[in-house]
Structures are given as structure tokens and as C-alpha cells.
């Protein structure tokens, strides 16, 4: 270390003040005095050559020297350290032009970093960023009353200590805002937990809590800010029109907005919820007025009298579409605990949707069973486990990823079969091109047949031809079901539709076209699954498809979902491997049975549960209170319940040998009934959504501007569904709320 004395002395000759430190990084001399009066070369040499000296440090604050000190010891793994540093560095490079030339960067002994520069805004030393769950700062600003150890050999970007220069105020502000954006310790904005409406003391769930539950803070402020970077734990944002690179962050876990910019309508350096942001944005921070406004919009628990009156109105209007709210939640408990755990882990770590994943698992097991098994409900009544799923949701909500994850083992095997066919077809085509003499010297090559059992875009004729080669069953998986539904009658009215209706029941299909020989399959097995948007599905509820029972056969899953932000959690590879092995085990279980629709019966208790549910459905069919539209759906549930029971029973047999493949257990029947209730509830939900949309269209159709349409909806019913109208008009929900506020103000004569 003594040989470095000359290196340090040259900095004393320049505009730097240095102190000498020991092996614990403590200053050997009184360094605070060096903020204004630096050591002479003689003084420094004398102290540095003492036995205690282990290095030197720059006095920050002297001649406006400031240093960003990044301490990565707070991270437990090297990958976490690297990720944090690379994220910080990329933001700085994006915000500050020519960053690597303006700043000096040195790596510290403990894998941290120093970013050095000079600024006329040099401040007292302070901690600016702590991570969630940590007390030690990850970023400190060393300015007045501070020092940093020098590391002569550790310059990262080629800008040496001697090259440190002044930066502009704009670059300094960008640097500070980026560093502060990593701070997780925030104070939440206090908002009243209870508010009064005009006549009642508010109790129960407050309008603010209800608003926060239904909206994100980004929903409120998205028209004022733009997203700079989407990080694992936060979204970094910038105010529109701001000269600064950043204005603040939105923390994903808490959904709180944290601003360090003071040039907005929101308070700085406080955690702001969606409701608090709404109060500042539309009521100038008056939380009392904001609570009244939100309450009038329907947020918060109604007082008892008001609730009963509202409930009465809703029942009178929509009694035909009533369903048990519990039935809307996918009954994931119907699966064996191992499969349930897998779906929940995928939901938590891969953001798959539980409803879509559950339906996809049912479809996968349906295809695996194929023509091997059927349920004997009673003599003369048999059900094959064919299922048709319509997974309803807006674009980007996660329909296809959820399906593909659950079908991955089957798709992998299906792709192998497709590749094998392509290779054999090439061999056969090459063989056919040989001359007669060449063929005599060659081993005979038979024409290959397709063996894939999952298809997407395919005509009914091609599907039946393929089914003849694969009698076990063919699954239809389409990312978008709309095309399948629209193309059903491509050749002539009723042809494909009739074939599909026959396939659902397991009856033989015989198709004759004038342009080709007939196609025939005796025991069709063709389950269907795919995604569809709610608006498109509503247009397909035509009278002909309703009259012939086609749409009644569709099992609809329409969960309430939002597009998730980035999820940094990883799923263990062993979990995915377990699922792959479980599906293969199910396949092996079924492969021991021939494709002859072997009969499976109910256990004694399962049959009792089935009879009770059958009679319950029959009573609904006979009831004068039941919507006639839904009465045609109930007979299909009498077919689906045994099918669900068979599928679930196979899953239980996969997990535990105590269950019998020939007898449907009590658990399977109990789960089948829950699944039926779930799909009935969602069928009513989609029909109700269609009716609400149609009613809203009727109210707004004769108006041109968005404002006039909102006004018409408000005048018709001031409690109209804001989200539904926003979707109908292709605008944000906040836009609807803003117009409603303007309309209410106009009614009250405010302007």
C-alpha cells in the first residue's frame, strides 16, 4: 500500500481533499475538518506511512464532489446484485446523454459501486433508497460531511478520478430521481376510513376501500403519466410534459403511487392509493367530497335500507339471470389435491388463470379417455366424456397461455406424431418417384397415415378421415373459437352443424359431398376447447344455434380477470416435470383399456347424489319462475354431470390406487355437481352481460359524441355499469367517471 502514496498525492495537488483510512475503513485523522481545509502533501505522507494506514478516501462535499454509493451487500445472490446494478445503469444511460463519459464509475471491494461527479447542488450525505424488508440502504448519496474509499485499480468505465467533472442541473435531477425510485420505504397517504353520505353514517366497506379493490392507481393517473420502465417490483413513471426523466414509481405489491416530483397535483414522497389519487384528481384533495362521489357511483357497502331497496330493484329487473355468487368461482377443490396444487402454483408464478387451467385439465383428461370409457347412467343411457369449452375473456387476459400450459404434455406428443408423419411422407414420396426397376430393388414403402390427435384448422371431412386413422379420439384446440363457430356451415346449411351435434352425443357421422366420396366414423369422440372474446360470443347466440341446442352444449367459463403486471416469481422445474409425469401416468392407465367404450357405473352414494341433482334440475325445468331461455340448457347438464364425474374419477385413479376405474367414486360425483353449477352460473352471466350491453346500446345509439352517450346512460340510470359502457365505447373507465362528474356538476348548477 505504501507504494500508492505518490498516486494519492497527485490528487491532493488537484481539487480534491483526501483522508487516510485503516483496514476497517475508518479515518485515521479528523476528517470533518478536511471538508474545508485539506491536508498538505507532507501531512498526508506522514499519516499514510504510519502502520495503521490501509488506504485513502476522497472527502465528498469538498469542491462540490458528490458520490452515489451503491451497496450491493443487501442482496443474497450474485444474480440479484447483477440485476439491480444493470437495471440502475440502464436507466441512467437512458436518462442522461453520454452518461459513461460524464461520470466516473469505480467498483468497490465488496462488489458495490461508486458513481462520482461534481455538482453545484451538492447536498449533505443521505440515504436515498432502501429495499423492501431491509434496514440497510442500497443507495446513499455521499456529499457534505462524507467520504468514500478510493479504489485505484477498479475503474469501470475508463473515467479516472482525475477526470471527474461537473454535471448539469438537469442531469443531477435525473440522477437523483432514478436513485430515489428504488426506495421502497414509503409513507401511505392517510384517507378517512369512514365517510357520511347525505343522511347516513357510513359503515361497512368504505367507498375508498371498494374503489381500491376495483381499480388500480394506474387506472386513475394513466392519462397524466407515461411508463418509463416496468421493473419486477414497480413501474417507473414520468409525468407527461416533464423535462425530468422520472417522476416516481407505482409499487406493484401495494399498488401505491410514490412521487418525488413536486410539480403534480399529488403530494410528493407519500404512498398514494387509487382512491387517494381520485380524490386529488377530481376533488382537489377533498376526501369528504370524493367519498360522497364514489358512494353515489355505487362504491362501498349500502346502508341497510338502501341496500334492500336496491336489491329489490335488481331482482325485479334481472330475476331471470340470478345465480349463486359462490358458483361463479371455479371449484378447484374438485381435483385431487396434487392437481389442485399444480394449478395454484401456476397461477401464482406463471399468472395462468385458475378457471381456464381447470377447464383445460378437464379437456385433456377427456381426450386421454377418448373412446375407452363411457358412463352407464342406466340401461340404454350412456354418456361419453366429450366436453366443449368456450373460455371467454378479453384479448391478452391469458386464455391461450393457460390452455397451452395444461395441454403441454399432450401437445408435445402430438407434435412428435406430426413430425413422424412428415418424415414418412417424404420417404414415401421419394419412393413413388422411383422407376419400376428401381422399386424392385428397393424395400416397399407403404403410404403413411396421420396419427395426430389434436388439430386446429381442419374441415369436417378431413377431421373424419383423420378420425378413421385415430379411432381413440381427436381433440379440437383453437386459440380462437369464433372461426370454428362461423365456419360450421361452410358448404351447405346445417351439414357441419348436424355432424358436430352427432359427435357430441357419440352418434355415428356420415358426410356425403358431391365433390368427393363419403366420410364415415362410427364412434366419434371430438372434444373442443378454445378462447373467445365476450362480444364475439354474444353475436354467435343466434336463434338457430339456440333452437337446435348447439350453444347449450358449450361450457362457458367467463372469470373476472385483469391483465397482470410482470411476475418475477419462478416455478420450480420439478413441479412442471411432476405434471408431465402425471399426465403420462394417466395415459398409461387408459392404454390398458381397449377402445370399445367400456362401461363405468356409479357407486351407491354417487348414484344417490346424481338422482338428487337430476331431480333438482328437473324441478327447474318445470318451474314457471325459471327463464325459458335457460330451460333448454338444463337437459345438457344432465349429460355433462356423468361426463364430469367420469373425468374426475380417472384423475383420482391416477393419484391413488384405492379408486376403481370401473366405479365412479363419491368425490368424483360431488365434484361433477359443483362443476355443473359453475358452468350454469357462467352461462347466465354471459347472457346477462349480453342483455346489459344490448340495453346500453339501445339507450346510447341515437347519440354521437362519447359525452352525449354517457349523458344518455346517466339520465336513464345514474347507477349504470361504468365498466360496461367504457368497454362499449372503447374508452377507459376513468373517462366515463370524469364525464359523469361533469354531468352531475351541470345538474347541480356548478357550471
Amino acid at each position: 500500500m505504501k507504494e500508492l502514496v505518490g498516486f494519492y498525492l497527485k490528487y491532493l495537488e488537484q481539487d480534491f481533499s483526501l483522508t487516510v483510512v485503516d483496514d476497517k475503513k475508518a479515518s485515521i485523522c479528523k476528517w470533518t475538518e478536511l471538508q474545508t481545509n485539506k491536508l498538505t502533501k507532507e501531512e498526508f505522507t506522514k499519516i499514510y506511512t504510519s502502520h495503521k494506514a490501509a488506504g485513502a478516501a476522497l472527502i465528498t462535499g469538498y469542491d462540490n464532489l458528490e458520490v452515489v454509493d451503491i451497496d450491493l451487500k443487501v442482496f443474497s445472490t450474485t444474480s440479484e446484485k447483477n440485476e439491480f446494478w444493470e437495471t440502475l445503469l440502464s436507466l441512467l444511460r437512458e436518462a442522461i446523454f453520454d452518461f459513461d463519459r460524464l461520470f466516473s464509475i469505480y467498483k468497490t471491494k465488496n462488489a458495490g459501486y461508486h458513481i462520482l461527479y461534481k455538482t453545484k447542488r451538492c447536498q449533505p450525505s443521505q440515504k436515498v433508497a432502501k429495499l423492501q424488508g431491509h434496514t440497510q440502504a442500497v443507495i446513499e448519496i455521499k456529499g457534505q460531511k462524507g467520504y468514500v474509499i478510493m479504489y485505484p485499480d477498479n475503474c469501470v468505465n475508463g473515467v479516472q478520478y482525475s477526470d471527474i467533472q461537473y454535471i448539469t442541473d438537469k442531469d443531477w435531477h435525473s440522477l437523483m430521481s432514478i436513485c430515489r425510485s428504488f426506495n421502497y420505504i414509503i409513507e401511505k397517504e392517510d384517507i378517512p376510513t369512514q365517510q357520511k353520505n347525505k343522511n347516513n353514517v357510513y359503515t361497512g366497506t368504505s367507498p375508498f376501500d371498494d374503489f381500491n379493490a376495483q381499480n388500480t392507481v394506474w387506472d386513475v393517473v394513466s392519462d397524466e403519466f407515461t411508463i418509463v420502465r416496468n421493473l419486477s417490483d414497480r413501474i417507473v413513471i414520468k409525468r407527461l410534459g416533464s423535462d425530468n426523466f422520472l417522476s416516481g414509481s407505482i409499487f406493484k405489491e401495494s399498488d401505491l403511487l410514490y412521487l418525488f416530483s413536486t410539480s403534480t397535483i399529488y403530494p410528493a414522497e407519500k404512498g398514494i392509493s387509487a382512491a387517494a389519487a381520485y380524490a386529488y384528481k377530481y376533488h382537489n384533495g377533498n376526501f369528504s367530497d370524493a367519498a360522497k362521489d364514489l358512494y353515489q357511483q355505487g362504491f362501498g357497502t349500502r346502508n341497510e335500507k338502501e341496500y334492500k331497496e336496491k336489491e329489490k330493484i335488481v331482482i325485479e329487473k334481472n330475476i331471470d339471470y340470478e345465480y349463486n355468487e359462490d358458483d361463479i368461482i371455479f371449484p378447484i377443490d374438485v381435483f385431487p389435491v396434487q392437481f389442485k396444487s399444480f394449478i395454484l402454483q401456476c397461477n401464482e408464478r406463471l399468472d395462468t388463470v385458475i378457471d381456464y387451467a381447470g377447464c383445460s385439465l378437464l379437456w385433456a383428461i377427456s381426450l386421454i379417455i377418448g373412446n375407452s370409457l363411457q358412463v352407464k347412467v342406466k340401461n340404454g343411457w350412456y354418456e361419453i366424456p366429450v366436453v366443449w369449452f368456450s373460455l371467454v375473456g378479453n384479448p391478452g387476459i391469458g386464455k391461450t397461455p393457460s390452455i397451452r400450459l395444461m395441454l403441454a404434455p399432450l401437445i408435445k406428443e402430438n407434435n412428435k406424431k406430426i413430425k413422424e408423419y412428415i418424415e414418412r411422407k417424404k420417404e414415401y414420396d421419394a419412393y413413388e418417384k422411383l422407376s419400376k426397376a428401381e422399386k424392385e430393388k428397393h424395400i416397399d414403402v407403404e403410404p403413411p397415415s396421420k396419427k395426430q390427435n389434436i388439430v386446429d384448422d381442419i374441415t369436417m371431412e378431413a377431421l373424419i378421415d383423420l378420425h378413421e386413422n385415430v379411432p381413440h379420439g381427436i381433440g379440437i384446440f383453437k386459440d380462437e373459437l369464433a372461426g370454428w363457430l362461423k365456419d360450421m356451415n361452410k358448404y351447405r346449411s346445417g351439414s357441419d352443424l348436424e355432424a358436430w351435434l352427432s359427435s357430441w352425443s357419440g352418434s355415428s357421422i356420415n358426410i356425403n359431398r358431391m365433390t368427393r366420396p363419403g366420410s364415415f366414423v362410427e364412434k366419434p369422440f371430438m372434444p373442443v376447447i378454445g378462447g373467445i372474446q365476450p362480444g364475439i360470443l354474444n353475436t354467435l347466440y343466434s336463434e338457430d344455434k339456440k333452437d337446435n341446442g348447439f350453444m347449450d352444449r358449450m361450457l362457458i367459463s367467463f372469470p373476472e380477470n385483469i391483465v397482470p403486471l410482470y411476475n418475477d416469481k419462478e416455478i420450480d422445474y420439478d413441479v412442471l416435470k411432476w405434471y408431465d409425469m402425471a399426465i403420462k401416468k394417466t395415459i398409461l392407465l387408459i392404454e390398458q383399456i381397449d377402445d370399445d367404450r367400456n362401461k363405468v357405473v356409479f357407486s351407491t352414494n354417487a348414484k344417490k347424489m346424481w338422482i338428487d341433482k337430476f331431480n333438482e334440475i328437473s324441478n327447474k325445468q318445470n318451474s314457471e319462475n325459471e327463464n325459458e331461455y335457460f330451460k333448454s340448457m338444463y337437459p345438457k347438464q344432465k349429460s355433462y354431470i356423468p361426463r364430469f364425474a367420469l373425468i374426475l374419477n380417472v384423475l383420482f385413479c391416477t393419484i391413488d390406487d384405492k379408486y376403481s376405474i370401473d366405479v365412479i367414486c363419491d368425490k368424483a360425483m360431488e365434484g361433477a355437481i359443483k362443476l355443473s353449477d359453475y358452468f350454469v352460473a357462467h352461462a347466465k352471466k354471459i347472457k346477462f352481460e349480453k342483455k346489459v350491453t344490448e340495453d346500453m346500446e339501445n339507450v346510447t345509439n341515437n347519440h354521437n359524441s362519447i359525452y352525449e352517450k354517457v349523458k344518455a346512460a346517466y339520465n336513464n340510470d345514474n347507477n349504470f355499469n361504468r365498466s360496461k359502457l367504457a368497454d362499449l365505447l372503447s374508452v377507459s373507465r376513468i373517462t366515463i367517471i370524469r364525464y359523469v362528474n361533469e354531468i352531475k356538476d351541470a345538474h347541480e348548477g356548478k357550471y
Side-chain angles (χ1 to χ4, degrees):
M1 295 296 295
K2 308 303 181 191
E3 65 273 12
L4 287 174
V5 66
F7 172 84
Y8 295 128
L9 288 176
K10 73 176 182 179
Y11 289 103
L12 278 175
E13 295 173 353
Q14 301 177 27
D15 293 326
F16 294 99
S17 177
L18 277 67
T19 186
V20 181
V21 295
D22 59 21
D23 57 359
K24 295 182 180 179
K25 300 182 182 179
S27 178
I28 295 175
C29 56
K30 294 182 179 180
W31 66 272
T32 53
E33 299 175 357
L34 305 181
Q35 290 276 324
T36 53
N37 299 303
K38 63 181 180 179
L39 295 170
T40 65
K41 292 195 294 183
E42 292 75 16
E43 290 171 332
F44 181 87
T45 302
K46 181 179 179 181
I47 299 171
Y48 189 81
T49 54
S50 69
H51 67 282
K52 292 183 179 180
L58 288 170
I59 302 297
T60 56
Y62 184 89
D63 196 38
N64 296 322
L65 175 66
E66 197 169 73
V67 179
V68 177
D69 184 3
I70 298 101
D71 186 359
L72 301 180
K73 293 196 302 294
V74 298
F75 297 102
S76 56
T77 66
T78 301
S79 61
E80 289 176 318
K81 294 176 182 178
N82 292 339
E83 181 182 2
F84 182 89
W85 170 244
E86 291 300 329
T87 300
L88 173 62
L89 197 59
S90 66
L91 286 170
L92 292 172
R93 285 170 173 163
E94 186 176 346
I96 301 173
F97 176 73
D98 216 3
F99 171 82
D100 289 293
R101 185 184 62 82
L102 294 176
F103 294 82
S104 176
I105 304 175
Y106 278 80
K107 191 170 185 178
T108 69
K109 183 179 179 181
N110 294 317
Y113 291 90
H114 290 160
I115 301 176
L116 303 98
Y117 53 93
K118 289 187 176 183
T119 173
K120 293 179 180 179
R121 292 185 172 273
C122 186
Q123 304 178 98
S125 297
Q126 57 186 299
K127 298 177 180 180
V128 296
K130 294 180 182 178
L131 301 179
Q132 184 183 17
H134 292 271
T135 57
Q136 186 177 354
V138 67
I139 300 178
E140 291 186 56
I141 303 298
K142 295 293 184 69
Q144 299 164 18
K145 298 182 180 180
Y147 65 82
V148 292
I149 307 300
M150 299 179 73
Y151 299 95
D153 299 326
N154 289 8
C155 184
V156 172
N157 63 339
V159 181
Q160 305 291 330
Y161 291 121
S162 57
D163 300 322
I164 294 173
Q165 56 189 300
Y166 276 90
I167 61 173
T168 65
D169 284 355
K170 180 180 179 181
D171 288 343
W172 182 84
H173 281 296
S174 295
L175 177 66
M176 292 300 106
S177 63
I178 289 172
C179 290
R180 291 193 184 105
S181 73
F182 287 90
N183 186 34
Y184 203 91
I185 301 177
I186 57 178
E187 179 184 350
K188 186 175 180 180
E189 175 74 0
D190 290 329
I191 59 176
T193 56
Q194 291 188 336
Q195 293 291 335
K196 292 183 179 181
N197 56 33
K198 291 182 178 179
N199 303 309
N200 304 286
V201 175
Y202 185 80
T203 59
T205 303
S206 74
F208 295 127
D209 289 340
D210 199 9
F211 185 83
N212 285 336
Q214 298 187 47
N215 298 272
T216 66
V217 70
W218 181 246
D219 291 333
V220 181
V221 304
S222 58
D223 60 340
E224 302 173 76
F225 296 87
T226 184
I227 295 176
V228 175
R229 190 71 63 85
N230 193 341
L231 303 178
S232 61
D233 62 340
R234 76 200 71 189
I235 300 172
V236 181
I237 60 174
K238 171 187 175 181
R239 180 176 61 83
L240 295 175
S242 173
D243 292 332
N244 295 327
F245 180 67
L246 302 178
S247 301
S249 300
I250 296 175
F251 291 92
K252 294 180 179 180
E253 183 174 335
S254 60
D255 192 41
L256 293 177
L257 168 68
Y258 180 73
L259 298 171
F260 27 81
S261 170
T262 57
S263 56
T264 73
I265 61 174
Y266 309 102
E269 299 185 357
K270 286 184 178 291
I272 304 168
S273 67
Y278 183 88
Y280 283 109
K281 184 168 186 174
Y282 297 111
H283 296 281
N284 198 30
N286 188 319
F287 287 96
S288 178
D289 287 350
K292 293 175 184 177
D293 177 10
L294 293 175
Y295 186 81
Q296 290 172 2
Q297 293 182 43
F299 293 101
T301 307
R302 309 292 94 178
N303 64 69
E304 186 175 355
K305 179 180 178 182
E306 182 181 359
Y307 180 80
K308 288 182 177 178
E309 290 176 351
K310 185 174 181 180
E311 183 181 43
K312 182 178 179 181
I313 293 172
V314 171
I315 290 175
E316 288 177 354
K317 285 186 176 181
N318 302 316
I319 189 170
D320 289 345
Y321 308 101
E322 279 191 304
Y323 50 81
N324 188 331
E325 288 291 339
D326 292 338
D327 293 337
I328 284 292
I329 302 171
F330 188 86
I332 194 170
D333 289 333
V334 303
F335 296 124
V337 65
Q338 295 88 341
F339 285 98
K340 171 187 172 182
S341 176
F342 176 76
I343 292 174
L344 291 176
Q345 286 196 59
C346 292
N347 168 252
E348 178 188 359
R349 299 178 181 278
L350 297 176
D351 295 320
T352 55
V353 180
I354 290 174
D355 303 59
Y356 301 152
C359 292
S360 301
L361 177 58
L362 293 169
W363 186 89
I365 304 304
S366 163
L367 181 58
I368 291 172
I369 296 171
N371 270 321
S372 295
L373 300 172
Q374 64 178 341
V375 182
K376 177 187 174 184
V377 181
K378 58 192 299 186
N379 288 336
W381 181 1
Y382 304 96
E383 293 290 345
I384 59 171
V386 163
V387 285
W388 289 357
F389 288 112
S390 289
L391 308 188
V392 185
N394 290 318
I397 207 68
K399 300 185 294 295
T400 300
S402 299
I403 300 172
R404 287 191 176 276
L405 180 71
M406 302 306 294
L407 304 190
L410 299 184
I411 292 174
K412 183 179 179 181
E413 290 301 314
N414 193 60
N415 289 341
K416 285 183 181 179
K417 294 173 183 176
I418 294 173
K419 291 177 181 178
E420 287 175 4
Y421 171 78
I422 292 173
E423 290 301 318
R424 292 180 181 178
K425 184 68 165 59
K426 288 179 181 178
E427 293 176 7
Y428 177 73
D429 290 343
Y431 175 76
E432 284 296 290
K433 291 178 181 179
L434 297 176
S435 65
K436 185 176 180 180
E438 289 173 325
K439 285 183 178 179
E440 290 177 353
K441 300 177 183 179
H442 198 283
I443 299 174
D444 289 344
V445 178
E446 297 295 328
S449 59
K450 293 182 178 179
K451 297 295 182 182
Q452 70 185 94
N453 64 341
I454 299 177
V455 297
D456 178 5
D457 189 14
I458 190 171
T459 64
M460 177 56 74
E461 288 85 353
L463 180 58
I464 297 306
D465 290 345
L466 177 61
H467 205 332
E468 288 184 87
N469 294 329
V470 188
H472 186 76
I474 304 294
I476 293 83
F477 163 36
K478 298 181 74 69
D479 287 340
E480 290 294 336
L481 277 179
W484 175 65
L485 294 167
K486 292 176 181 177
D487 292 346
M488 198 156 292
N489 297 314
K490 187 178 291 184
Y491 292 97
R492 61 182 177 85
S493 178
S495 58
D496 284 2
L497 185 59
E498 291 167 2
W500 280 108
L501 292 174
S502 295
S503 77
W504 186 86
S505 302
S507 303
S508 61
I509 300 175
N510 184 22
I511 295 179
N512 292 300
R513 304 280 196 221
M514 294 180 64
T515 56
R516 55 164 287 161
S519 298
F520 175 78
V521 61
E522 183 180 3
K523 296 178 180 179
F525 190 94
M526 301 188 297
V528 179
I529 192 170
I532 194 166
Q533 297 176 36
I536 296 176
L537 180 63
N538 283 331
T539 64
L540 298 173
Y541 269 94
S542 59
E543 288 302 318
D544 60 329
K545 289 189 178 68
K546 183 64 182 172
D547 291 342
N548 57 38
F550 179 83
M551 293 306 295
D552 292 326
R553 289 166 168 80
M554 297 303 302
L555 296 166
I556 294 172
S557 177
F558 186 18
E560 297 290 340
N561 286 309
I562 60 172
V563 179
L565 299 176
Y566 181 76
N567 183 350
D568 204 29
K569 296 179 180 178
E570 294 283 358
I571 192 167
D572 196 313
Y573 175 74
D574 288 340
V575 174
L576 298 174
K577 187 176 181 181
W578 173 88
Y579 180 69
D580 185 72
M581 295 302 296
I583 292 298
K584 288 179 179 177
K585 184 178 179 182
T586 308
I587 294 172
L588 291 174
L589 178 69
I590 296 300
E591 283 180 345
Q592 300 174 31
I593 308 167
D594 57 29
D595 284 330
D596 196 28
R597 294 187 176 176
N598 294 270
K599 299 175 181 62
V600 177
V601 298
F602 299 135
S603 70
T604 302
N605 287 335
K607 186 171 184 178
K608 184 179 183 304
M609 285 188 279
W610 155 246
I611 293 172
D612 290 343
K613 187 63 178 179
F614 182 95
N615 291 336
E616 177 189 322
I617 294 173
S618 295
N619 288 333
K620 289 181 179 180
Q621 290 178 264
N622 295 325
S623 173
E624 294 182 358
N625 293 325
E626 189 68 31
N627 187 319
E628 293 297 324
Y629 184 91
F630 293 117
K631 284 187 177 182
S632 61
M633 173 183 63
Y634 287 123
K636 307 306 180 290
Q637 293 304 310
K638 290 178 177 178
S639 292
Y640 266 129
I641 291 173
R643 299 181 185 201
F644 294 150
L646 175 55
I647 292 170
L648 293 175
N649 194 68
V650 168
L651 280 175
F652 283 113
C653 290
T654 298
I655 295 300
D656 196 332
D657 292 339
K658 75 177 182 180
Y659 296 101
S660 171
I661 198 73
D662 301 318
V663 180
I664 290 176
C665 65
D666 302 353
K667 281 187 177 181
M669 178 54 71
E670 184 180 353
I673 292 170
K674 289 181 180 179
L675 286 170
S676 175
D677 291 341
Y678 169 83
F679 289 113
V680 168
H682 279 255
K684 290 187 175 183
K685 178 183 177 182
I686 196 73
K687 180 61 179 174
F688 175 68
E689 294 283 334
K690 183 174 186 288
K691 183 179 185 301
V692 170
T693 301
E694 289 172 347
D695 291 346
M696 203 164 281
E697 285 177 336
N698 291 335
V699 171
T700 60
N701 267 347
N702 294 328
H703 302 275
N704 295 322
S705 70
I706 292 177
Y707 176 83
E708 289 299 324
K709 290 178 183 289
V710 175
K711 185 177 180 181
Y714 181 83
N715 290 337
N716 180 70
D717 177 9
N718 56 24
N719 289 319
F720 72 90
N721 188 315
R722 270 67 166 166
S723 296
K724 181 60 64 178
L725 185 59
D727 184 52
L728 183 65
L729 301 181
S730 300
V731 297
S732 70
R733 192 173 188 273
I734 291 299
T735 297
I736 302 297
I737 292 173
R738 184 171 68 250
Y739 282 144
V740 167
N741 288 336
E742 292 178 9
I743 293 165
K744 286 161 60 177
D745 288 343
H747 285 180
E748 295 171 4
K750 291 186 178 180
Y751 56 84

